[in-house]
């Protein structure tokens, strides 16, 4: 029995030593893993610090690299303004060149005012300019009238109510 106990003690000591060795190996492996992760974290930290930029820095670099010069910006603004100005115009087709209304001749401006009276309920204050477009070819020709108003909303309003004009006859008829 004494030998059995002695052998058991040796087996237990040997097992304890192996467990201690394995624990040491595990601790060493974990320390290496922590070092590796620390190195990667430092790399990420450096990348973030070097690559992180403010929004304005990114915009500046993109604008410079994309070749947006002040001239190109000016052209874009000019184009947008031209488009906005065009949105304030509409064309009237089929209007007689010289309309005679009962006692006197009717000018293009009077015709447009009458149209606004029908479509907009008499509000012709938003009319800025009326002019015939194109070259007069003959007495029978009907050049279109370009009408410029104060805002694009008026154009949309007039065009949405233009179908009302179909029910009216021109003064010459």
């Amino acid at each position: 029995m004494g030998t059995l106990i002695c052998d058991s003690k040796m087996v237990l000591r040997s097992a304890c030593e192996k467990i201690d060795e394995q624990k040491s190996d595990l601790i060493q492996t974990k320390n290496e893993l922590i070092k590796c992760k620390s190195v990667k974290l430092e790399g990420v930290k450096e990348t973030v610090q070097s690559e992180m930029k403010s929004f304005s820095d990114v915009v500046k670099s993109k604008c410079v690299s994309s070749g947006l010069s002040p001239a190109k910006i000016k052209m874009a603004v000019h184009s947008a303004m031209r488009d906005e100005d065009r949105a304030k115009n509409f064309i009237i087709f089929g209007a007689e060149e010289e309309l005679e209304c009962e006692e006197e001749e009717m000018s293009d401006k009077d015709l447009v005012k009458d149209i606004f009276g029908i479509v907009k309920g008499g509000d012709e204050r938003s009319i800025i300019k009326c002019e015939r477009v194109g070259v007069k070819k003959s007495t029978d020709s009907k050049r279109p009238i370009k009408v410029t108003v104060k805002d694009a909303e008026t154009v949309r309003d007039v065009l949405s109510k233009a179908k009302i004009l179909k029910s009216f006859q021109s003064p010459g008829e």
Side-chain angles (χ1 to χ4, degrees), residues 75-94:
M75 281 180 30
V77 169
H78 180 69
S79 173
M81 288 176 58
R82 185 178 61 240
D83 290 345
E84 185 178 330
D85 287 344
R86 292 183 73 193
K88 296 177 185 177
N89 299 325
F90 65 94
I91 305 286
I92 300 173
F93 292 96

Side-chain angles (χ1 to χ4, degrees), residues 52-63:
M52 201 65 158
K53 299 175 184 175
S54 69
F55 180 73
S56 62
D57 292 338
V58 172
V59 169
K60 286 177 187 174
S61 68
K62 293 292 181 190
C63 288

Side-chain angles (χ1 to χ4, degrees), residues 3-162:
T3 24
L4 188 61
I5 292 176
C6 227
D7 286 343
S8 295
K9 278 185 176 180
M10 286 178 63
V11 169
L12 285 175
R13 281 188 188 147
S14 155
C16 285
E17 287 176 5
K18 287 192 177 195
I19 289 174
D20 285 343
E21 281 179 29
Q22 288 178 349
K23 283 183 179 178
S24 294
D25 288 345
L26 183 63
I27 289 172
Q28 187 177 2
T29 305
K30 285 186 176 183
N31 283 338
E32 289 175 8
L33 182 63
I34 289 171
K35 285 180 184 177
C36 183
K37 286 185 176 182
S38 294
V39 168
K40 286 182 179 180
L41 185 62
E42 283 299 316
V44 168
K45 186 177 176 182
E46 289 174 14
T47 301
V48 167
Q49 287 177 346
S50 67
E51 295 298 322
M52 201 65 158
K53 299 175 184 175
S54 69
F55 180 73
S56 62
D57 292 338
V58 172
V59 169
K60 286 177 187 174
S61 68
K62 293 292 181 190
C63 288
V64 170
S65 67
S66 67
L68 283 179
S69 66
K72 286 185 179 180
I73 294 171
K74 186 176 179 181
M75 281 180 30
V77 169
H78 180 69
S79 173
M81 288 176 58
R82 185 178 61 240
D83 290 345
E84 185 178 330
D85 287 344
R86 292 183 73 193
K88 296 177 185 177
N89 299 325
F90 65 94
I91 305 286
I92 300 173
F93 292 96
E96 297 290 334
E97 287 281 334
E98 297 173 6
L99 291 174
E100 293 183 16
C101 185
E102 295 177 16
E103 299 173 3
E104 60 186 59
E105 275 191 18
M106 187 176 206
S107 70
D108 293 337
K109 182 100 173 170
D110 294 331
L111 175 66
V112 173
K113 283 182 182 180
D114 284 350
I115 290 172
F116 265 71
I118 295 167
V119 175
K120 296 272 292 168
D123 183 23
E124 70 260 356
R125 292 175 295 179
S126 59
I127 300 171
I128 295 175
K129 183 170 67 170
C130 303
E131 61 184 348
R132 292 281 177 169
V133 181
V135 179
K136 189 172 184 177
K137 296 179 183 175
S138 67
T139 56
D140 297 341
S141 67
K142 297 178 183 177
R143 294 181 296 162
I145 301 172
K146 176 183 170 187
V147 180
T148 304
V149 294
K150 289 183 182 178
D151 58 3
E153 183 65 32
T154 303
V155 172
R156 284 190 292 275
D157 193 28
V158 168
L159 293 178
S160 69
K161 296 178 182 176

